[in-house]
């Protein structure tokens, strides 16, 4: 992913450090682009729903204007001409207008809410599906809590863009136009004065709107960082309490909250500046109109109905005018949210299957590394790594921390692609193999077991969705998990809690191993699979793994040499290179060898295991 693709993650820190940055501004062209995209993606699918909603909003606008229009015959007929027969028809018309307005408002609200909920659900599905296409490298660089917070906060921006466009156009704008038309009809002179006063007011409002652009996106990003920080704290609460991190995290989150609060306060200060401006102008206009009407009625004996209708139109036009004045601010905020969602949706996977990529065909499940180089950024991790993991045998990777063992494991399922060199499975370059078919032939047990929401049975079945209950229970027995599962309150149907919080580390790891076993794949990758187990559990799982390894190609990482002494081949790594290769007996007897030194440090454990 190019650096430009990471801007929306990097902006969080930049905003916090530089609150007045102008790089967050979003110009009219960008707003137009996002608007066109939102309408193009959602307008056609909901054209009938939006059509009915627009019709209802037009009814609301027309009924609002009608109530102002009938003020002239009411005032003149009832209070000036005193014609009772006209009043009944006018009152009946007003009653009908209110009924139409009420039902039209109800239906447009329900329709737009239903469409909005559908849009949010659709984009949530799109976002989840797209996130699943992104590489592991993307999630290594981005904070998961911030991604989740950003998605939950920003996804409503798409809905808000559509609703603002529909309601502002069909209700507010039409109401304003209808009422303005009635004002011109009732008194052209007063309308002319209004047209002279209005433009400066709208120019002032436009200036205020531009001031808001620089802080809107900053507030969105800071709010997502607050939610992300809280989510991380909740997920790591045991570590927080164990290391008494509460004061430090409290200071960190308070700093974020204060920054977000300041941004929101600044938005409010700027956006609400239009209140005094509009109220001052509106008060001046209404007072002037009343004075003008009183003068004409007293000194010129002119019926007040027209002026009264003008005043009602002016008062009724105030709300749609105020909403239209705030439209750009609200629209820009919605567009900022929508744009950030599109930035995520537009991120292209770093790893794409080549056009000519084929499905993997496994015969012996032989894995070969040829001159593989890999680096995280500028940090070289693997340097000219070459070795062969023979099919149906166990190949162990050992060496000090940071030697590159886990990276080797991560390259086999193509979590990352090497910078140079090639990896082959049965002579097929995996860079020319579809990732889906590659991973279908792999089972993986990570160093840190992860369980998903659901029951124990659900978590094991994730290894192979079509596995039967009998196969799930057999995999659990092989992983020596069946006994503790049956001891749970609901057996295999026991909910595991968030990431298996109700289970011990050893129990979670055994469920992770059972998930790998039920997959029944020809290649098994074990990244320190027994690291979280106590001595008794490790011995039990090691027996299960010995049985599960039979007939499979196994690549295993282990820091404790006692777990790999029976491996057919041991690859010793240091500083990203293969420094030794052989089996336990030959490597342990080598003079001054790295494996021999590690073996001497762990001799009691290794010897004890060998005697067994």
């Amino acid at each position: 992913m190019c650096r430009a693709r990471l801007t929306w993650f990097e902006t969080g820190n930049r905003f916090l450090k530089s609150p007045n940055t102008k790089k967050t501004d979003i110009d009219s062209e960008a707003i137009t682009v996002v608007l066109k995209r939102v309408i193009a993606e959602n307008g056609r699918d909901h054209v009938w729903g939006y059509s009915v909603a627009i019709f209802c909003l037009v009814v609301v606008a027309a009924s609002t204007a009608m109530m102002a229009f009938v003020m002239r015959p009411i005032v003149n007929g009832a209070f000036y001409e005193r014609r009772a027969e006209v009043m009944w028809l006018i009152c009946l018309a007003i009653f009908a207008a209110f009924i139409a307005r009420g039902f039209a408002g109800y239906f447009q609200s329900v329709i737009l809410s239903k469409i909005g909920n559908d849009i949010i659900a659709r984009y949530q599905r799109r976002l989840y599906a797209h996130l699943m296409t992104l590489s592991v490298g993307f999630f290594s660089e981005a904070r998961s809590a911030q991604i989740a917070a950003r998605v939950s906060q920003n996804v409503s921006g798409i809905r808000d863009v559509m609703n603002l466009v529909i309601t502002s156009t069909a209700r507010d704008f039409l109401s304003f136009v209808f009422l303005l038309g009635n004002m011109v009809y009732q008194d052209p002179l007063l309308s002319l004065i209004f047209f002279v006063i209005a433009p400066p007011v709208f120019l002032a409002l436009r200036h205020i709107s531009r001031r808001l652009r620089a802080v809107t996106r900053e507030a969105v990003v800071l709010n997502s960082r607050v939610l992300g920080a809280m989510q991380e704290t909740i997920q790591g609460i045991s570590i927080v309490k164990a290391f008494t991190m509460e004061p430090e995290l409290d200071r960190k989150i308070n700093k974020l909250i204060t920054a977000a609060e300041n941004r929101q306060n600044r938005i409010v200060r700027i956006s609400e500046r239009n209140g005094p401006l509009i109220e001052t102008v509106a008060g001046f206009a209404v007072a002037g109109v009343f004075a003008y009407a009183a003068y004409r009625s007293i000194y010129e004996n002119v019926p007040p109905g027209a002026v009264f209708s003008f005043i009602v139109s002016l008062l009724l036009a105030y709300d749609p005018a105020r909403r239209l004045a705030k439209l750009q601010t609200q629209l820009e905020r919605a567009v900022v949210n929508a744009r950030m969602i599109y930035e995520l949706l537009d991120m292209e996977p770093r790893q794409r299957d080549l056009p000519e990529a084929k499905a993997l065909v496994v015969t012996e499940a032989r894995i070969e590394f040829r001159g593989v180089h890999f680096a995280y950024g500028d940090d070289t991790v693997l340097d000219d790594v070459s070795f062969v993991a023979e099919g149906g045998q166990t190949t162990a990777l050992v060496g000090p921390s940071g030697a590159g063992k886990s990276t080797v494991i991560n390259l086999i399922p193509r979590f990352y692609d090497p910078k140079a060199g090639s990896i082959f499975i049965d002579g097929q370059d995996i860079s020319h193999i579809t990732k889906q078919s590659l991973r279908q032939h792999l089972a993986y047990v990570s160093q840190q077991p992860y369980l998903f929401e659901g029951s124990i049975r659900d978590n094991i079945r994730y290894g192979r969705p079509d596995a039967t209950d009998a196969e799930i229970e057999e995999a659990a027995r092989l992983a020596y998990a069946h006994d503790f599962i049956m001891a749970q309150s609901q057996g295999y149907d026991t909910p595991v809690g968030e990431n298996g919080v109700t289970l011990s580390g050893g129990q979670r790891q055994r469920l992770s191993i059972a998930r790998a076993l039920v997959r029944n794949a020809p290649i098994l990758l074990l990244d320190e699979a027994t690291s979280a187990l106590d001595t008794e559990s490790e011995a039990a799982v090691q027996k299960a793994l010995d049985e599960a390894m039979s007939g499979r190609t196994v690549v295993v990482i282990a820091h404790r040499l006692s777990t790999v002494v029976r491996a057919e081949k041991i690859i010793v790594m240091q500083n990203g290179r293969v420094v030794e290769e052989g089996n336990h007996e030959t490597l342990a007897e080598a003079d001054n060898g790295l494996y021999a030194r590690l073996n001497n440090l762990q001799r009691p454990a290794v010897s004890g295991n060998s005697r067994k």
Side-chain angles (χ1 to χ4, degrees):
M1 185 189 310
C2 62
R3 293 292 298 169
R5 295 294 189 183
L6 295 178
T7 54
W8 69 284
F9 294 110
E10 297 167 344
T11 46
N13 291 326
R14 187 168 68 245
F15 288 153
L16 190 59
K17 295 176 182 177
S18 180
N20 297 320
T21 178
K22 300 296 182 184
K23 294 183 179 180
T24 60
D25 196 7
I26 177 169
D27 56 25
S28 299
E29 182 180 356
I31 292 177
T32 303
V33 171
V34 175
L35 278 174
K36 287 182 178 179
R37 182 169 179 181
V38 171
I39 294 172
E41 290 185 357
N42 300 282
R44 181 179 300 176
D45 292 337
H46 299 287
V47 62
W48 289 110
Y50 280 130
S51 298
V52 174
I54 289 173
F55 173 77
C56 293
L57 289 168
V58 170
V59 171
V60 171
S63 59
T64 301
M66 179 186 172
M67 286 185 286
F69 180 79
V70 298
M71 288 299 107
R72 180 173 182 173
I74 286 177
V75 172
N76 289 343
F79 302 104
Y80 189 77
E81 300 172 359
R82 300 188 179 185
R83 297 171 56 193
E85 70 277 6
V86 177
M87 289 305 301
W88 292 108
L89 293 175
I90 294 176
C91 291
L92 184 61
I94 293 175
F95 178 67
F98 269 93
I99 292 177
R101 183 179 180 180
F103 278 97
Y106 167 78
F107 284 116
Q108 67 84 20
S109 179
V110 170
I111 291 170
L112 289 181
S113 295
K114 184 177 180 181
I115 293 174
N117 293 334
D118 178 76
I119 288 174
I120 289 178
R122 176 191 300 183
Y123 277 87
Q124 285 175 335
R125 295 186 189 100
R126 281 184 61 184
L127 283 166
Y128 181 80
H130 183 69
L131 286 171
M132 293 301 98
T133 68
L134 299 178
S135 67
V136 174
F138 167 81
F139 296 99
S140 299
E141 295 167 359
R143 304 298 296 272
S144 60
Q146 288 191 24
I147 294 175
R150 188 72 56 84
V151 168
S152 64
Q153 184 180 7
N154 295 148
V155 74
S156 61
I158 309 289
R159 174 201 60 192
D160 294 342
V161 167
M162 293 297 296
N163 284 359
L164 283 170
V165 170
I166 297 295
T167 56
S168 298
T169 302
R171 183 191 64 191
D172 297 331
F173 180 72
L174 286 180
S175 295
F176 185 74
V177 169
F178 290 162
L179 291 167
L180 200 62
N182 186 57
M183 290 164 61
V184 173
Y185 174 77
Q186 302 296 344
D187 198 315
L189 178 60
L190 285 178
S191 301
L192 180 63
I193 297 174
F194 175 79
F195 286 130
V196 172
I197 296 175
V201 174
F202 281 103
L203 288 175
L205 293 175
R206 184 175 177 82
H207 173 71
I208 292 173
S209 179
R210 283 200 300 265
R211 293 284 305 276
L212 281 168
R213 291 180 181 179
V215 294
T216 299
R217 182 177 175 115
E218 299 173 14
V220 171
V221 171
L222 284 170
N223 286 335
S224 72
R225 295 194 69 202
V226 170
L227 293 173
M230 289 184 176
Q231 182 177 341
E232 287 182 333
T233 301
I234 293 170
Q235 290 176 340
I237 191 64
S238 58
I239 301 299
V240 171
K241 292 187 176 296
F243 287 89
T244 60
M245 295 164 59
E246 293 94 337
E248 180 62 29
L249 289 177
D250 187 60
R251 284 192 295 271
K252 174 186 173 182
I253 292 181
N254 277 334
K255 184 178 179 181
L256 287 172
I257 292 174
T258 300
E261 179 187 18
N262 291 338
R263 288 297 180 281
Q264 294 293 346
N265 289 338
R266 189 178 177 192
I267 288 176
V268 171
R269 286 196 302 270
I270 296 175
S271 63
E272 293 305 319
R273 287 175 188 173
N274 59 14
L277 175 64
I278 294 176
E279 295 292 344
T280 301
V281 174
F284 174 78
V286 172
V289 169
F290 272 115
Y292 172 75
Y295 174 83
R296 294 191 68 187
S297 180
I298 294 172
Y299 296 103
E300 298 179 4
N301 200 30
V302 176
V307 176
F308 195 83
S309 178
F310 182 94
I311 292 172
V312 172
S313 295
L314 183 63
L315 294 176
L316 289 176
Y318 172 72
D319 273 343
R322 179 172 54 83
R323 287 193 294 266
L324 288 171
K326 290 185 175 183
L327 173 62
Q328 187 168 1
T329 300
Q330 296 171 331
L331 191 59
E332 286 185 353
R333 183 175 299 183
V335 166
V336 165
N337 283 284
R339 190 183 189 186
M340 295 169 77
I341 290 298
Y342 283 132
E343 286 176 0
L344 180 55
L345 286 173
D346 291 341
M347 288 183 181
E348 296 190 7
R350 295 182 181 182
Q351 298 171 302
R352 285 188 176 275
D353 290 335
L354 297 175
E356 68 277 9
K358 299 179 180 179
L360 177 64
V361 178
V362 175
T363 54
E364 299 177 6
R366 180 179 185 270
I367 303 172
E368 181 181 1
F369 277 60
R370 294 182 189 173
V372 172
H373 294 259
F374 184 80
Y376 295 104
D378 296 328
D379 184 17
T380 298
V381 179
L382 298 181
D383 183 14
D384 193 24
V385 171
S386 298
F387 68 87
V388 173
E390 297 294 345
Q393 297 184 5
T394 298
T395 300
L397 303 176
V398 302
S401 297
K405 304 183 298 297
S406 292
T407 301
V408 169
I409 289 282
N410 289 334
L411 290 179
I412 296 174
R414 288 190 65 194
F415 292 159
Y416 304 90
D417 285 329
K419 306 299 181 183
S422 301
I423 304 171
F424 297 86
I425 296 180
D426 287 336
Q428 302 161 83
D429 189 339
I430 64 172
S431 64
H432 296 271
I433 297 298
T434 61
K435 293 191 295 293
Q436 182 72 12
S437 68
L438 170 65
R439 292 167 184 171
Q440 284 177 342
H441 291 88
L442 302 174
Y444 175 71
V445 179
S446 65
Q447 186 173 359
Q448 299 175 338
Y450 193 91
L451 300 180
F452 298 86
E453 180 182 0
S455 66
I456 291 175
R457 190 188 309 276
D458 293 335
N459 271 273
I460 298 176
R461 182 173 273 126
Y462 279 128
R464 184 160 54 89
D466 61 351
T468 64
D469 289 348
E471 290 173 325
I472 289 172
E473 293 178 14
E474 179 61 23
R477 288 189 178 89
L478 289 173
Y480 284 77
H482 179 75
D483 290 342
F484 84 77
I485 292 174
M486 295 308 297
Q488 302 295 311
S489 59
Q490 301 176 49
Y492 282 85
D493 296 319
T494 303
V496 299
E498 185 172 358
N499 193 22
V501 67
T502 59
L503 304 175
S504 69
Q507 290 172 335
R508 290 197 299 270
Q509 187 63 289
R510 277 182 276 175
L511 290 182
S512 180
I513 292 171
R515 184 168 58 205
L517 294 177
V518 80
R519 192 169 182 83
N520 197 26
I523 299 174
L524 181 61
L525 306 178
L526 304 174
D527 186 357
E528 195 66 25
T530 60
S531 62
L533 306 181
D534 54 54
T535 303
E536 182 179 356
S537 297
E538 179 186 356
V541 172
Q542 192 61 52
K543 293 178 181 178
L545 288 176
D546 288 343
E547 297 177 10
M549 291 176 183
S550 177
R552 291 186 174 91
T553 301
V554 180
V555 180
V556 56
I557 296 175
H559 289 108
R560 292 196 290 269
L561 301 186
S562 58
T563 62
V564 298
V565 293
R566 290 185 296 277
E568 283 85 356
K569 180 183 292 185
I570 297 175
I571 306 295
V572 185
M573 300 186 66
Q574 186 176 28
N575 298 326
R577 300 180 66 90
V578 175
V579 294
E580 294 178 280
E581 186 175 330
N583 57 32
H584 172 71
E585 288 74 16
T586 58
L587 293 174
E589 295 173 359
D591 294 335
N592 300 320
L594 175 59
Y595 186 88
R597 292 199 300 272
L598 294 173
N599 183 53
N600 289 333
L601 291 173
Q602 301 182 31
R603 185 181 296 277
V606 176
S607 299
N609 187 283
S610 299
R611 284 193 297 271
K612 291 179 183 179

